[in-house]
């Protein structure tokens, strides 16, 4: 019975209901919202205490954090290049002016250096918690952990013990919430699929194929190959162990809400908490594998529809700029639209093409989020193996000395 009552079964049930009874979706939408809200409720305090406990009590932190950022940069660059190449190839036959798009005013402020700094450096912890600004929470937790290393041993141990106890409590709450996951995911998938305008999406079938191909290659070839190179292990074992966070990301379109589920799945797989607590929050804010390939393809198709020739280097530059400035959209309502408006200005494209972003983003947000989360999981699991090997070599050298 337990095997039938699972997250995959909830996903299948949601798809079936959306196909057979789309008109009933509004009546169960509240169930999915409750489940998503409960996951988000745990996310920020879990990030705060787990990062603090990991940094305050762990070692080799520079190695873990530096390696994580390096791998995130590499995979995002590969994704951007892959999306650019496939987008330029498949957009050639898209006719100019295919869609009759209306003007759309961007929500939120456009990207600026001042906004980037404001979203990197917190000024009010409680405001950051209320806004759900993950990057601020990461910064506060890191500063507090580093400061605690200067405290007396008994004070440091008291704080560390409290953080670990609170972390254990939050994970127990997560275990209880996940018993409702199949129902919540079924409601979320049912509501989202039933509300989509499939006719508008299918007008750009070449775009659909481009995103599907790029996401498939990155998720099924590039990331598994990276995991195998780092660990020497079969990637399918990791995918099977992490099916809950992957399906949760696919169902919720929220990498932030998926964080608690990813943390639990990786630790059950054998990844140490000191790695998951640091790499997963960083990945949720900085790693953009899926977004990089998706936005590169989207910009190329926008250019084609507008009759503007876009060179591969121009497309790649814009996507890399988006990756570098992703922190600038943290905590901004409609931040994705604001960032897209900024990139359209750089390319000289009309703001009317924001309407295209709104049409396709609702559909692709779900699989692209799953690719982003898969990238976080691969990096964390790969780091677990490399850090463990380094630790073993260090221990042997210490014994020899």
């Amino acid at each position: 019975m337990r095997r039938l009552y699972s997250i995959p079964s909830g996903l299948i049930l949601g798809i079936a209901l959306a196909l057979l009874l789309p008109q009933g979706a509004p009546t169960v939408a509240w169930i999915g919202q409750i489940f998503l809200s409960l996951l988000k409720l745990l996310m920020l305090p879990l990030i705060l205490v787990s990062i603090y406990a990991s940094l305050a009590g762990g070692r080799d932190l520079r190695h873990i954090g530096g390696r994580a950022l390096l791998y995130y940069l590499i995979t995002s660059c590969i994704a951007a290049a892959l999306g650019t190449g496939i987008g330029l190839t498949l957009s050639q036959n898209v006719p100019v002016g295919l869609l009759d798009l209306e003007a759309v005013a961007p929500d939120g402020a456009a990207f600026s250096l001042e906004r980037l700094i404001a979203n990197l450096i917190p000024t009010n912890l409680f405001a950051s918690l209320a806004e759900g600004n993950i990057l601020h929470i990461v910064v506060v937790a890191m500063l507090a952990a580093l400061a605690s290393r200067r405290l007396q041993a008994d004070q440091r141990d008291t704080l560390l013990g409290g953080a670990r106890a609170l972390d254990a409590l939050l994970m127990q709450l997560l275990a209880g919430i996940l018993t409702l996951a199949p129902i919540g995911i079924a409601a979320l998938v049912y509501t989202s699929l039933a509300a989509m305008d499939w006719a508008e999406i299918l007008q750009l079938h070449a775009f659909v194929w481009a995103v599907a191909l790029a996401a498939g290659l990155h998720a099924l070839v590039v990331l598994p190959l990276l995991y195998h190179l780092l660990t020497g292990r079969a990637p399918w074992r990791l995918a099977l162990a992490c099916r809950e966070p992957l399906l949760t990301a696919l169902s919720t379109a929220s990498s932030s809400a998926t964080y608690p589920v990813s943390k639990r799945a990786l630790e059950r797989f054998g990844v140490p908490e000191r790695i998951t607590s640091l790499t997963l929050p960083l990945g949720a804010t900085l790693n953009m594998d899926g977004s990089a390939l998706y936005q590169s393809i989207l910009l190329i198709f926008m250019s084609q529809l507008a009759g503007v020739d876009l060179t591969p280097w121009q497309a790649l530059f814009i996507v890399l700029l988006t990756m570098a400035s992703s922190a600038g959209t943290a905590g901004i309502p409609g931040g994705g639209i604001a960032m897209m408006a900024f990139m359209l200005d750089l390319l000289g494209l009309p703001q009317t093409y924001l309407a295209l972003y709104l049409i396709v983003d609702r559909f692709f947000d779900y699989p692209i989020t799953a690719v982003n989360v898969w990238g976080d999981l691969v990096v964390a699991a790969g780091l677990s193996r490399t850090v463990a090997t380094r630790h073993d070599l260090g221990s042997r050298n210490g014994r020899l000395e």
Side-chain angles (χ1 to χ4, degrees):
M1 182 66 184
R2 183 175 177 82
R3 290 184 179 179
L4 295 176
Y5 184 75
S6 62
I7 288 180
S9 65
L11 182 64
I12 294 170
L13 177 61
I15 295 172
L17 289 173
L19 293 174
L20 300 176
L21 297 170
Q23 67 276 10
T27 61
V28 300
W30 60 275
I31 300 175
Q33 288 302 314
I34 289 176
F35 173 67
L36 192 57
S37 297
L38 288 173
L39 284 179
K40 290 183 176 180
L41 175 67
L42 292 183
M43 173 194 61
L44 291 177
L46 187 57
I47 288 175
L48 183 62
V49 299
S50 62
I51 287 182
Y52 175 84
S54 176
L55 295 182
R59 298 178 180 178
D60 209 15
L61 303 178
R62 185 189 306 174
H63 179 71
I64 295 172
R67 284 288 186 91
L69 292 175
L70 176 62
Y71 292 150
Y72 287 151
L73 177 62
I74 291 172
T75 57
S76 293
C77 287
I78 292 173
L82 186 63
T84 300
I86 292 176
L88 289 171
T89 301
L90 297 185
S91 65
Q92 297 301 314
N93 297 324
V94 175
V96 176
L98 174 64
L99 300 178
D100 184 19
L101 300 173
E102 298 179 358
V104 176
D107 269 337
F111 171 78
S112 67
L113 180 61
E114 292 78 10
R115 183 166 291 277
L116 175 61
I117 294 173
N119 282 281
L120 284 173
I121 309 299
T123 58
N124 188 322
L125 173 60
F126 297 102
S128 299
L129 287 168
E131 294 169 2
N133 194 316
I134 299 177
L135 194 58
H136 282 184
I137 305 307
V138 171
V139 171
V140 170
M142 292 175 67
L143 292 176
L146 294 174
S148 71
R149 289 175 171 261
R150 309 290 295 180
L151 296 176
Q152 296 179 5
D154 58 334
Q155 295 174 327
R156 185 171 63 250
D157 291 343
T158 299
L159 288 172
L160 184 58
R164 286 173 173 167
L166 186 54
D167 182 67
L169 173 62
L170 292 170
M171 293 303 287
Q172 283 296 321
L173 287 172
L174 174 65
I177 292 172
L178 287 182
T179 59
L180 305 174
I183 298 174
I185 283 178
L188 285 170
V189 173
Y190 183 17
T191 305
S192 60
L193 290 182
M196 285 183 185
D197 190 343
W198 294 99
E200 286 189 304
I201 294 173
L202 293 177
Q203 283 189 71
L204 283 174
H205 54 86
F207 175 77
V208 175
W209 281 112
V211 176
L213 179 60
L217 287 174
H218 191 73
L220 301 177
V221 178
V222 175
L223 291 176
L225 180 61
L226 174 64
Y227 177 75
H228 181 70
L229 290 174
L230 291 174
T231 66
R233 297 177 177 177
W236 66 266
R237 295 185 183 275
L238 176 64
L240 186 62
C242 294
R243 60 187 180 277
E244 284 191 356
L246 290 173
L247 291 175
T248 302
L250 185 64
S251 307
T252 63
S254 173
S255 57
S256 301
T258 308
Y259 166 75
V261 190
S262 299
K263 187 174 187 295
R264 189 179 81 150
L266 282 176
E267 289 172 8
R268 286 184 170 182
F269 187 64
V271 179
E273 185 181 6
R274 65 194 177 102
I275 292 179
T276 62
S277 298
L278 184 59
T279 58
L280 290 179
L282 288 176
T285 54
L286 301 177
N287 190 32
M288 296 178 63
D289 289 7
S291 300
L293 63 88
Y294 168 60
Q295 290 178 1
S296 63
I297 295 172
L298 183 57
L299 286 169
I300 288 169
F301 271 82
M302 285 178 173
S303 301
Q304 180 68 23
L305 288 171
V308 176
D309 290 331
L310 187 66
T311 67
W313 289 112
Q314 286 176 312
L316 190 57
F317 169 75
I318 294 298
V319 174
L320 292 176
L321 179 63
T322 307
M323 292 159 47
S325 60
S326 60
T329 62
I332 304 174
I337 301 176
M339 184 57 67
M340 187 58 63
F342 168 66
M343 291 189 292
L344 288 175
D345 282 339
L346 288 181
L347 289 173
L349 298 177
Q351 293 293 313
T352 53
Y353 283 90
L354 286 173
L356 175 60
Y357 171 80
L358 294 176
I359 290 171
V360 300
D361 190 63
R362 186 169 187 175
F363 172 78
F364 283 107
D365 199 19
Y366 297 89
I368 291 306
T369 300
V371 175
N372 285 338
V373 169
W374 177 227
D376 298 345
L377 295 168
V378 165
V379 169
L383 271 174
S384 173
R385 182 69 171 175
T386 57
V387 170
T389 302
R390 185 173 183 268
H391 180 268
D392 292 341
L393 290 174
S395 299
R396 291 174 193 166
N397 291 337
R399 285 196 296 270
L400 289 173
E401 292 172 2

